[in-house]
Amino acid sequence: MENPIVIGIDAGGTMTDTILVDQHGHFKIGKSATTPRDEAEGFIASAADAAEAWGISLDDLFSGVNVVLYSGTGMINTLLSRTGRKLGLITTKGLEDMILMGRGLQAWADYSYADRLHAVTHHHPDALVPRRRTHGVTERIDQFGDVVLPLYEHEVVEAAQALIRDKVEAICIMTIFSHVNPAHERRIAEICRDEIAKAKADILVYASHQVRPVIREQSRLNSVLIEAYATSRGRRQLKGIEDASRKYGFKYGVQTLLSFGGLTSINHPRLHETMISGPIGGILGAAYVGKLIGNDSLICSDMGGTSFDMGVITRGQTRIENEPLMDRFKLNVPTLHLDTIGAGAGMILKVDPLTRKVSLGPESAGSDPGPICFDKGGTEPTIADCDAILGRLNPDYFLGGKVKLKVEKARQAFKQKCADILGVGLEEAAEGMINMLETDANNALRRVISGQGIHPSEFTLLSYGGSGPLHLAGCSRGIGFRDIITFQFAAAFSAFGCTTADYMRRHSVSTQIDIQAKADDAALEAFGARVSTVWADLTKAAVEEMIADGHARAKITTTPFLMMRYTGQLEDVEVMAPLAAVTSADDMRRVIAEFETVYAKVNHRVSRYGEAGFSITELGLIATADKVKPVLVKRPMGKSDPASAHKGVREAYIGGRWHKADLYEMDLLQPGHEVIGPAIIEHPATTLVVHPKDRVTIDEWTLLHYSHA
C-alpha cells in the first residue's frame, strides 16, 4: 500500500477513533482513549495506533497527508459544563427577558416522562447571559425590513460602556427582524467596536445576522450566544490539534465536520455549526454504504460508551433539522437529524438498596476513570464490566491487547453493588443489566421507525460504534429489518463517514414567498426572479469564503436549495433545486414539482396537498469542493467455512447459560464465510457477539450481515 493521504478522526465521549486512507481508497483504523482536558493527546495516541497498523512512523504519516479532519466533542462539552466565555447582550428594548423566558419546547427538552408529569422538578436551562448583563436599546425594524423606530445610538453607547466595565469577554447583538434588514445590528456593532477601542479592551463582537440570518428570534439568539460562548475553547482545542499535526510535519490546515455534512476549516467563522459533528459522520458513511449495497432506506445506529445515536435515510432522503436541540437550547443550525438516548457500554449501573430499583446511567464512566475492568480508578459497575464478566469481551485483546481487562475486580464490585442487593446470581444480574440496555435501544429503534410511518421490512439497519456490534443481537431482535449490517471498521465508522464528505459551505436566508395553487405565468415568473436574486447573492458569499480557504474557483460547484411547505403547514422540507436559476414560469413549475416529489418520498404520496398553495420559507446555497474518499473493495465470494479465521473457544454467558463460543478474528473473515452462533468475532477495536443459532455472513464488500434465528 502507498502512504495515506487522509487522516479522519472522531473523538467521542469515551474513545478517539482514527482512519487512514490512501489515494486508492485503502484504509486502516486506530483507537485510543479520549483525553477531554487536551484532545490533542488522544488525537496523537489514536493516530499513532493507526500509523502502527499501517506500518509507518508518525512523522511519515503527517508529512505525507493532504487532509487531517477532526470531529470532536470539545465545544458541546464546554456548553454542557458551562465553562465558556463571559458574555453581554444588546437587544431590542422590550426583549431583555427573552433569555430567561426561553421557549417552552426547549424548557422541557430532555426531561423524562416522569419529570414532565411532575412539574415541581422543572427548571429552565441555565442562562448563558444573566439579566444584569442584558441591555435593551430603542429601535424597531418591522417584518418587511422597514425602519419603524430609528436606533437611539446614545443608548447603545451606554450599554457598551456598561458591558466593558463588567469585563465581559464578548458582546452579542440580536435585534428583532435583523434577518430581513440588519442595518441596526451593523450600527450597534460599529458603536461597540468604537467603545472597545477607546477603552483599549479585548472584547469580541458577535451580531446575529452574521451568525445565522434566519427567522425565529429565540433560536437566532441562542445561535449567536452559543457561537460566542462555546467556540473559543473549541477553537483552542482545534488549534492544539493543528499544532500537534504540524509538529509531526503536516503542511496544511486541519478541517472539521459541519453538522449538515460537509468539511470546513477550523477557522470557519460560524464554528457552532460543527458542535455535533461526530455522530453526523456516521450518517454520511451510511449513505455512502447504502449506495454500494443498493438500498436507500437505512437506519443508522451508533452505540459507543455514552450514547446511542440513530439516524434515518428514507428512500435516499436524509432529513435536515433546521432547529436542533443542543443542551436544551433550540438553535437555528441546519443539522442532519439524529435521535439520541443515553445507552452505551460505559453507562454506570446503580441498584437502590431499599427498593431494589435498577438504574442505567444517565452517567457514563467515560474514558477516565472508565469501567472498573479498565483498572484506571473506576469504582462504579458499568455495562462494559457486565460484558467482561460474561466472557463476551476478551480480557487479553481489548484494543488489541493494549488494555488488559481486570475481570475479577469487576466481578467483585458488581457482586457487591448490584447482584447481592438484587438477591440473584452474578451472571443472571449481569445479563439482566445488558438486556435492559438492549431493550432500551430496541424500543428507541422501534419509535424512530414508527415515526417515519414506514414498515421496518423496507429498512436495512447499519450498526456501528465501538459497542454497536457487541449489543447488536439484542438491539435488533424482533423488529423485522430487511437486513442487518455491521463492519470490520465499526469502531471507526463515524471517522470513516467523515472522510466521505466534501469541503462545503452552506448559506441561507429566511424568506416568505407564498405561491397560490393556480398562479398564472406572470406571477410565477415574478416569484422566480425573487428566488434567483437571493441565490445569486448567496452564491457570491459562499464562493468567496471557499476561495479564502484556498479552493480554486474551478473546483467549486454550487447547488441552490429551498425550504418549502404546503401553505399552512408547520414543517418545511428541504429541496435541492433542479436548476441553477429560475428564469421562466416553467422553471418555477419545475421547482414546485421537485418539492412535491421530495415531499412524497419523505411522507406519503397521498399526503400531498397542492390545492393549499406553496410557501418558500428559506432560500439557500451549498458550495462544495471535492476530495479523495475511501473505497470498499469488491471481492469474489469464496467458501462458507470460516476455519481460516477461527482462533479457539471461550466460555460466554448468553441467554441464561454458559456456552462454548467459537472465537473468530474479524479481519480474517473473507467474502462467503458464514459464522453460526454461539460465537464471538473479535477485532482490536470492537467485538461482535453472535447469539446461539443466529448467523453472520460476509458479502463481497466484506460487510458482516447478521441474521436472527
Side-chain angles (χ1 to χ4, degrees):
M1 289 193 293
E2 298 179 19
N3 277 5
I5 58 172
V6 174
I7 302 176
I9 302 270
D10 171 35
T14 308
M15 306 301 286
T16 296
D17 305 310
T18 300
I19 186 164
L20 309 180
V21 185
D22 73 10
Q23 65 182 12
H24 302 297
H26 300 126
F27 55 88
K28 293 277 186 189
I29 65 171
K31 202 170 180 71
S32 174
T34 296
T35 50
R37 291 183 188 85
D38 182 3
E39 290 183 22
E41 289 177 20
F43 162 74
I44 291 298
S46 185
D49 189 45
E52 184 183 322
W54 200 286
I56 57 173
S57 69
L58 272 177
D59 291 304
D60 288 341
L61 171 63
F62 279 100
S63 59
V65 295
N66 298 334
V67 179
V68 173
L69 58 97
Y70 184 86
S71 66
T73 54
M75 282 178 284
I76 191 71
N77 289 341
T78 299
L79 183 59
L80 292 168
S81 59
R82 293 294 190 271
T83 52
R85 282 192 183 117
K86 183 179 179 181
L87 304 183
L89 173 67
I90 298 176
T91 188
T92 304
K93 185 163 278 188
L95 300 182
E96 295 92 337
D97 291 322
M98 203 171 177
I99 296 175
L100 298 177
M101 290 162 63
R103 283 177 67 179
L105 192 65
Q106 74 179 26
W108 290 92
D110 296 341
Y111 268 56
S112 69
Y113 181 65
D115 282 331
R116 290 182 191 214
L117 286 177
H118 303 102
V120 70
T121 65
H122 178 259
H123 72 277
H124 281 265
D126 295 335
L128 297 181
V129 185
R131 179 65 179 79
R132 63 184 180 79
R133 292 205 301 269
T134 303
H135 298 267
V137 296
T138 304
E139 65 84 37
R140 179 55 67 95
I141 286 171
D142 69 13
Q143 70 206 64
F144 306 107
D146 298 326
V147 176
V148 178
L149 282 175
L151 177 66
Y152 284 27
E153 296 192 359
H154 67 281
E155 293 183 8
V156 181
V157 171
E158 290 166 11
Q161 289 174 347
L163 291 173
I164 291 166
R165 284 196 300 274
D166 269 342
K167 294 186 166 52
V168 298
E169 295 170 272
I171 295 174
C172 298
I173 302 160
M174 200 290 297
T175 64
I176 200 161
F177 294 117
S178 63
H179 67 279
V180 184
N181 178 358
H184 286 175
E185 274 198 8
R186 283 199 192 108
R187 182 63 190 132
I188 293 169
E190 284 174 12
I191 293 168
C192 287
R193 289 190 181 101
D194 288 345
E195 293 302 316
I196 290 165
K198 283 181 198 169
K200 295 186 171 58
D202 182 17
I203 300 172
L204 295 170
V205 177
Y206 294 84
S208 76
H209 75 274
Q210 292 175 315
V211 172
R212 192 87 179 103
V214 173
I215 199 169
R216 296 192 183 96
E217 266 62 34
Q218 184 74 51
S219 302
R220 183 151 47 87
L221 173 62
N222 286 344
S223 294
V224 72
L225 290 177
I226 286 172
E227 174 68 38
Y229 183 81
T231 59
S232 61
R233 183 176 163 192
R235 283 188 198 279
R236 277 201 306 276
Q237 291 272 29
L238 289 167
K239 185 72 174 65
I241 284 150
E242 188 170 81
D243 290 345
S245 304
R246 286 182 169 160
K247 180 180 159 192
Y248 287 100
F250 183 53
K251 307 179 192 74
Y252 310 104
V254 169
Q255 307 289 317
T256 189
L257 189 68
L258 294 157
S259 59
F260 42 83
L263 298 181
T264 187
S265 158
I266 61 169
N267 300 315
H268 185 54
R270 299 175 298 283
L271 204 61
H272 72 285
E273 293 177 352
T274 72
M275 282 183 76
I276 48 174
S277 55
I280 300 301
I283 296 183
L284 298 180
Y288 192 69
V289 169
K291 287 176 187 158
L292 286 182
I293 63 175
N295 188 350
D296 60 1
S297 289
L298 308 163
I299 300 276
C300 321
S301 67
D302 178 358
M303 184 182 283
T306 310
S307 63
F308 183 59
D309 302 309
M310 296 157 288
V312 183
I313 301 172
T314 309
R315 302 190 185 105
Q317 294 292 318
T318 306
R319 186 171 144 208
I320 290 276
E321 192 170 356
N322 266 333
E323 286 190 293
L325 272 162
M326 204 174 289
D327 191 29
R328 301 177 66 212
F329 290 100
K330 271 271 184 190
L331 298 181
N332 272 341
V333 182
T335 304
L336 296 181
H337 179 77
L338 284 168
D339 290 281
T340 300
I341 64 166
M347 290 190 78
I348 290 172
L349 310 171
K350 296 185 286 288
V351 180
D352 188 300
L354 293 176
T355 64
R356 297 185 183 176
K357 180 176 181 285
V358 177
S359 300
L360 269 67
E363 305 88 358
S364 169
S367 59
D368 186 12
I372 295 170
C373 60
F374 281 19
D375 201 24
K376 288 172 62 182
T379 57
E380 300 301 320
T382 66
I383 292 290
D385 292 310
C386 295
D387 285 316
I389 290 165
L390 299 182
R392 300 183 186 187
L393 288 177
N394 187 338
D396 300 316
Y397 198 53
F398 196 81
L399 290 188
K402 290 180 178 160
V403 174
K404 301 287 185 188
L405 301 183
K406 301 290 189 290
V407 179
E408 192 51 44
K409 188 172 185 181
R411 285 175 67 89
Q412 289 170 6
F414 182 78
K415 184 175 186 299
Q416 178 196 341
K417 296 194 174 189
C418 297
D420 288 352
I421 297 171
L422 289 169
V424 297
L426 183 71
E427 290 84 3
E428 185 185 348
E431 187 166 50
M433 299 291 188
I434 291 171
N435 289 343
M436 284 179 66
L437 171 90
E438 292 175 351
T439 300
D440 283 350
N442 188 291
N443 288 337
L445 285 170
R446 290 174 190 268
R447 281 197 305 272
V448 166
I449 293 165
S450 63
Q452 302 293 308
I454 295 171
H455 198 271
S457 62
E458 291 185 39
F459 283 100
T460 292
L461 175 70
L462 301 186
S463 176
Y464 49 89
S467 307
L470 190 61
H471 298 286
L472 171 59
C475 293
S476 59
R477 191 173 301 282
I479 297 178
F481 288 110
R482 172 176 164 181
D483 197 0
I484 300 167
I485 295 176
T486 190
F487 311 88
Q488 292 178 329
F489 51 97
F493 189 80
S494 288
F496 166 86
C498 293
T499 65
T500 68
D502 290 318
Y503 302 108
M504 185 185 290
R505 282 289 191 281
R506 180 184 171 113
H507 285 245
S508 61
V509 63
S510 282
T511 57
Q512 191 59 51
I513 300 175
D514 296 313
I515 304 167
Q516 297 80 18
K518 293 178 179 154
D520 60 23
D521 283 8
L524 288 172
E525 204 167 309
F527 290 134
R530 287 174 64 187
V531 168
S532 293
T533 301
V534 174
W535 278 345
D537 291 343
L538 295 174
T539 301
K540 183 172 180 291
V543 168
E544 282 176 357
E545 272 192 17
M546 292 201 78
I547 289 171
D549 254 6
H551 300 289
R553 178 65 186 92
K555 292 192 173 179
I556 301 170
T557 57
T558 58
T559 307
F561 69 88
L562 317 86
M563 299 299 293
M564 284 184 76
R565 62 177 73 167
Y566 289 114
T567 300
Q569 287 188 329
L570 296 176
E571 295 294 328
D572 308 315
V573 174
E574 181 174 291
V575 182
M576 290 299 148
L579 26 75
V582 182
T583 57
S584 67
D586 281 344
D587 285 350
M588 198 66 219
R589 287 190 186 95
R590 273 186 68 191
V591 170
I592 292 169
E594 184 68 16
F595 159 70
E596 296 213 277
T597 301
V598 172
Y599 188 91
K601 280 184 180 177
V602 173
N603 299 286
H604 276 287
R605 187 173 53 81
V606 293
S607 60
R608 296 194 302 192
Y609 189 45
E611 295 82 358
F614 310 90
S615 295
I616 300 173
T617 57
E618 195 174 311
L619 289 166
L621 187 286
I622 295 172
T624 56
D626 201 15
K627 64 161 254 309
V628 68
K629 298 176 179 65
V631 293
L632 297 177
V633 179
K634 190 173 185 178
R635 295 188 291 165
M637 298 286 278
K639 60 181 182 180
S640 62
D641 182 8
S644 58
H646 193 266
K647 60 179 194 178
V649 174
R650 184 167 75 245
E651 290 279 323
Y653 192 91
I654 304 171
R657 67 186 186 87
W658 288 98
H659 297 266
K660 283 189 165 23
D662 287 302
L663 302 181
Y664 296 92
E665 182 61 42
M666 195 179 284
D667 277 346
L668 296 180
L669 290 173
Q670 302 296 323
H673 280 171
E674 183 176 79
V675 173
I676 298 173
I680 296 174
I681 303 173
E682 296 181 343
H683 184 280
T686 192
T687 301
L688 173 58
V689 177
V690 188
H691 284 218
K693 298 185 181 175
D694 290 356
R695 65 184 58 215
V696 170
T697 53
I698 316 301
D699 71 7
E700 62 266 41
W701 303 102
T702 323
L703 305 179
L704 289 78
H705 296 253
Y706 194 102
S707 307
H708 290 286

